[in-house]
Amino acid sequence: MTKKTIKAGILALTASAALLTCMYTVSAVSGYGAEAPPSASAAMEQGGGKYLVRAYNGKIAYFTGGEVVETDIDVSGLRAYDRQLLENGIAAYTYEEVLQLLEDFSS
Protein backbone atom coordinates (compact mmCIF):
# COMPACT_ATOMS: atom_id res chain seq x y z
CA MET A 1 0.00 0.00 0.00
CA THR A 2 1.18 3.48 -0.75
CA LYS A 3 1.05 6.41 1.66
CA LYS A 4 -1.59 8.00 -0.55
CA THR A 5 -3.84 4.93 -0.27
CA ILE A 6 -3.38 4.79 3.50
CA LYS A 7 -4.21 8.49 3.85
CA ALA A 8 -7.31 8.06 1.69
CA GLY A 9 -8.43 5.11 3.82
CA ILE A 10 -7.93 7.02 7.05
CA LEU A 11 -9.81 10.00 5.64
CA ALA A 12 -12.70 7.76 4.57
CA LEU A 13 -12.87 6.14 8.02
CA THR A 14 -12.77 9.53 9.73
CA ALA A 15 -15.53 10.88 7.49
CA SER A 16 -17.66 7.78 8.11
CA ALA A 17 -17.19 8.06 11.86
CA ALA A 18 -18.11 11.76 11.75
CA LEU A 19 -21.23 11.01 9.72
CA LEU A 20 -22.33 8.28 12.13
CA THR A 21 -21.69 10.58 15.08
CA CYS A 22 -23.73 13.32 13.42
CA MET A 23 -26.59 10.97 12.66
CA TYR A 24 -26.63 9.71 16.25
CA THR A 25 -26.38 13.23 17.63
CA VAL A 26 -29.21 14.50 15.43
CA SER A 27 -31.43 11.79 16.83
CA ALA A 28 -30.53 12.96 20.35
CA VAL A 29 -30.97 16.70 19.71
CA SER A 30 -34.49 17.79 18.85
CA GLY A 31 -37.07 20.48 19.36
CA TYR A 32 -35.14 23.59 18.34
CA GLY A 33 -37.35 26.00 16.41
CA ALA A 34 -35.91 28.17 13.66
CA GLU A 35 -37.22 31.38 15.26
CA ALA A 36 -35.53 30.99 18.63
CA PRO A 37 -32.03 29.53 18.39
CA PRO A 38 -30.92 27.61 21.44
CA SER A 39 -28.06 28.71 23.60
CA ALA A 40 -24.91 26.63 23.48
CA SER A 41 -25.59 25.55 27.06
CA ALA A 42 -28.99 24.13 26.01
CA ALA A 43 -27.27 22.28 23.17
CA MET A 44 -24.70 20.87 25.56
CA GLU A 45 -27.39 19.73 27.98
CA GLN A 46 -29.44 17.98 25.31
CA GLY A 47 -26.79 16.77 22.85
CA GLY A 48 -23.70 16.68 25.02
CA GLY A 49 -21.68 18.68 22.50
CA LYS A 50 -19.70 21.84 23.03
CA TYR A 51 -20.98 23.32 19.75
CA LEU A 52 -24.29 23.28 17.92
CA VAL A 53 -24.34 23.60 14.12
CA ARG A 54 -27.74 24.58 12.74
CA ALA A 55 -29.70 26.71 10.31
CA TYR A 56 -30.01 30.32 11.42
CA ASN A 57 -31.33 33.27 9.36
CA GLY A 58 -31.17 31.14 6.19
CA LYS A 59 -27.47 30.35 6.69
CA ILE A 60 -25.48 27.77 8.60
CA ALA A 61 -24.28 28.98 11.98
CA TYR A 62 -22.66 27.41 14.99
CA PHE A 63 -23.35 28.22 18.61
CA THR A 64 -20.90 27.97 21.48
CA GLY A 65 -20.69 29.54 24.91
CA GLY A 66 -23.46 32.04 24.22
CA GLU A 67 -21.81 33.13 20.95
CA VAL A 68 -23.38 32.74 17.51
CA VAL A 69 -21.06 32.52 14.51
CA GLU A 70 -22.88 32.83 11.19
CA THR A 71 -21.32 31.49 7.99
CA ASP A 72 -22.02 32.48 4.41
CA ILE A 73 -23.28 28.96 3.57
CA ASP A 74 -26.87 29.31 2.32
CA VAL A 75 -29.18 26.58 3.62
CA SER A 76 -31.58 26.83 0.66
CA GLY A 77 -28.96 25.36 -1.69
CA LEU A 78 -28.65 22.15 0.33
CA ARG A 79 -30.46 18.84 -0.11
CA ALA A 80 -33.72 18.47 1.81
CA TYR A 81 -32.15 15.87 4.10
CA ASP A 82 -29.29 18.22 5.01
CA ARG A 83 -31.70 21.11 5.59
CA GLN A 84 -33.67 18.92 8.00
CA LEU A 85 -30.50 17.95 9.87
CA LEU A 86 -29.63 21.61 10.25
CA GLU A 87 -33.14 22.57 11.36
CA ASN A 88 -32.82 20.02 14.17
CA GLY A 89 -29.23 21.00 14.94
CA ILE A 90 -26.08 18.91 15.00
CA ALA A 91 -24.01 18.74 18.19
CA ALA A 92 -20.24 18.79 17.74
CA TYR A 93 -17.71 18.04 20.43
CA THR A 94 -14.66 19.83 19.00
CA TYR A 95 -13.99 22.84 16.80
CA GLU A 96 -12.45 20.46 14.26
CA GLU A 97 -15.81 18.65 14.02
CA VAL A 98 -17.51 22.00 13.39
CA LEU A 99 -15.04 22.76 10.60
CA GLN A 100 -15.57 19.30 9.08
CA LEU A 101 -19.36 19.77 9.11
CA LEU A 102 -19.05 23.20 7.51
CA GLU A 103 -16.73 21.81 4.85
CA ASP A 104 -19.13 18.94 4.15
CA PHE A 105 -22.11 21.28 3.78
CA SER A 106 -20.23 23.77 1.61
CA SER A 107 -19.09 21.21 -0.97
Side-chain angles (χ1 to χ4, degrees):
M1 278 181 154
T2 66
K3 287 184 180 182
K4 194 172 188 178
T5 305
I6 292 171
K7 286 182 182 179
I10 291 172
L11 181 59
L13 283 173
T14 304
S16 297
L19 179 61
L20 289 173
T21 301
C22 289
M23 291 174 65
Y24 172 77
T25 303
V26 167
S27 68
V29 177
S30 63
Y32 296 132
E35 300 79 33
S39 66
S41 60
M44 287 185 265
E45 289 173 14
Q46 290 197 358
K50 182 177 177 182
Y51 302 90
L52 180 69
V53 179
R54 72 180 312 271
Y56 181 69
N57 292 334
K59 306 283 185 183
I60 297 177
Y62 65 91
F63 300 79
T64 182
E67 181 182 1
V68 179
V69 180
E70 290 186 62
T71 70
D72 60 350
I73 304 169
D74 192 4
V75 175
S76 66
L78 300 175
R79 298 178 302 165
Y81 178 78
D82 291 338
R83 287 193 308 270
Q84 184 60 49
L85 288 176
L86 289 165
E87 287 299 319
N88 292 330
I90 303 169
Y93 300 93
T94 65
Y95 183 67
E96 288 76 22
E97 286 181 39
V98 171
L99 293 178
Q100 182 64 51
L101 285 166
L102 295 176
E103 181 179 332
D104 291 346
F105 286 122
S106 67
S107 57

